[in-house]
Amino acid sequence: MTDAPHIPVLLDEVLAALAPAPGDTMVDATFGAGGYTRALLAQGASVIAFDRDPDAIAAGRASAIDGLTLVHADFSTMEQAIETPVDGVTMDIGVSSMQLDQAGRGFSFQSDGPLDMRMSQDGMSAADFLNTAEEDAIADVIYRYGDEPKSRRVARAIVAARPLSRTAELATVVRRALGHKPHDKKDPATRTFQAIRIHVNRELHELVEGLAAAERILKPGGRLAVVTFHSLEDRLVKRFLRDRSGGAPAGSRHLPQAAAGAAPSFEAVGRAIRAGEDELARNPRARSATLRIARRTAAPAWKEEMSV
């Protein structure tokens, strides 16, 4: 790991939540540029770090760091790589600044690049999805994951413009479909790009599965710290921790009725934490970040799965 060009969001708050100490084993579920990992190692903990992006893993392996184990895998599979319970798990959910800043990865409409968006760099690309899916399926993805009220209009324009291969092409199609004025504060392509990226990478399913995996690998008293960047992610984390801490209302539609008798697997779920003015001045990306934390109890992990 070289000096990271990107600033870890809510780093002080994440460290306070995890309270790493010499001899602890921590999991960084989303290695990225290694910002959280570096800070955890500096406190004397050992770190098992996961990333599905081969570029992130290659950058991490370029420097041999004592106490660090890198795993090239989805973080939802972390249980398969961890032999003994761990003291803490941290997750920084969503696309990384490194991925957004590289036009060749196809995540951003700010610069032209191939219509890719794959974090793992394999499997179905954004172009594959948009050029082959039915119009209704595209509309449903844009509405569900992008909260775009005119999703059907956008989907119809995408199908009419196929085949698409570049991010600039897609951005132009969306802007024309929705009407783009130069003085608009938010680019109308934002919601569509977010939705397609989430769908291509199964991000919400990965988050739900990753939270359950963290529940299974944390030892009693182990800490969980999850940073999210938009409401879809935060709602899932909030619901998971509420349910697992025994705070779900009776008859929750998200979990089977049998879960009502399960002992809480998490405790000390505090309020959401957001960046202060000092951090926002240093790192504007932190404006949309939300941190939620919890501590593992001694109760068995729940068998019930939460829906997305």
Side-chain angles (χ1 to χ4, degrees), residues 128-206:
D128 293 334
F129 169 63
L130 294 176
N131 288 328
T132 61
E134 297 291 335
E135 181 179 315
D136 285 350
I138 295 172
D140 288 347
V141 164
I142 295 171
Y143 180 79
R144 183 179 185 189
Y145 298 140
D147 198 24
E148 172 55 68
K150 298 178 181 177
S151 61
R152 302 214 170 273
R153 181 187 300 179
V154 174
R156 189 160 51 249
I158 287 172
V159 170
R162 295 196 298 204
L164 297 168
S165 62
R166 309 289 296 181
T167 56
E169 291 177 319
L170 176 59
T172 297
V173 168
V174 176
R175 289 165 184 156
R176 286 175 178 169
L178 297 179
H180 178 44
K181 302 178 181 61
H183 62 271
D184 288 345
K185 291 183 178 180
K186 188 174 184 179
D187 193 302
T190 302
R191 290 181 174 134
T192 295
F193 269 70
Q194 171 187 293
I196 295 167
R197 187 203 83 219
I198 289 172
H199 174 69
V200 165
N201 294 289
R202 295 185 69 254
E203 291 180 39
L204 300 187
H205 292 84
E206 176 75 359

Side-chain angles (χ1 to χ4, degrees), residues 63-189:
S63 300
I65 305 294
D66 290 341
L68 171 61
T69 300
L70 282 166
V71 183
H72 182 203
D74 294 346
F75 65 79
S76 61
T77 68
M78 67 177 83
E79 186 179 13
Q80 299 172 21
I82 293 174
E83 298 179 354
T84 58
V86 301
D87 298 283
V89 176
T90 183
M91 302 177 182
D92 180 356
I93 304 302
V95 66
S96 73
S97 296
M98 293 184 303
Q99 291 163 336
L100 282 172
D101 292 344
Q102 297 178 41
R105 300 297 301 273
F107 285 99
S108 176
F109 53 80
Q110 308 254 348
S111 54
D112 187 35
L115 194 51
D116 193 321
M117 300 192 192
R118 296 172 297 175
M119 293 178 178
S120 63
Q121 300 187 38
D122 64 8
M124 178 184 67
S125 69
D128 293 334
F129 169 63
L130 294 176
N131 288 328
T132 61
E134 297 291 335
E135 181 179 315
D136 285 350
I138 295 172
D140 288 347
V141 164
I142 295 171
Y143 180 79
R144 183 179 185 189
Y145 298 140
D147 198 24
E148 172 55 68
K150 298 178 181 177
S151 61
R152 302 214 170 273
R153 181 187 300 179
V154 174
R156 189 160 51 249
I158 287 172
V159 170
R162 295 196 298 204
L164 297 168
S165 62
R166 309 289 296 181
T167 56
E169 291 177 319
L170 176 59
T172 297
V173 168
V174 176
R175 289 165 184 156
R176 286 175 178 169
L178 297 179
H180 178 44
K181 302 178 181 61
H183 62 271
D184 288 345
K185 291 183 178 180
K186 188 174 184 179
D187 193 302

Side-chain angles (χ1 to χ4, degrees), residues 64 117 175 244 303 307:
M117 300 192 192
R175 289 165 184 156
R244 262 35 179 197
K303 295 180 181 180
S307 61

Side-chain angles (χ1 to χ4, degrees), residues 6-10 97 229 275-288:
H6 302 290
I7 305 169
V9 170
L10 293 167
S97 296
F229 289 88
E277 292 302 320
D278 289 345
E279 179 168 2
L280 293 176
R282 298 191 308 269
N283 185 10
R285 179 174 177 258
R287 187 168 301 280
S288 58

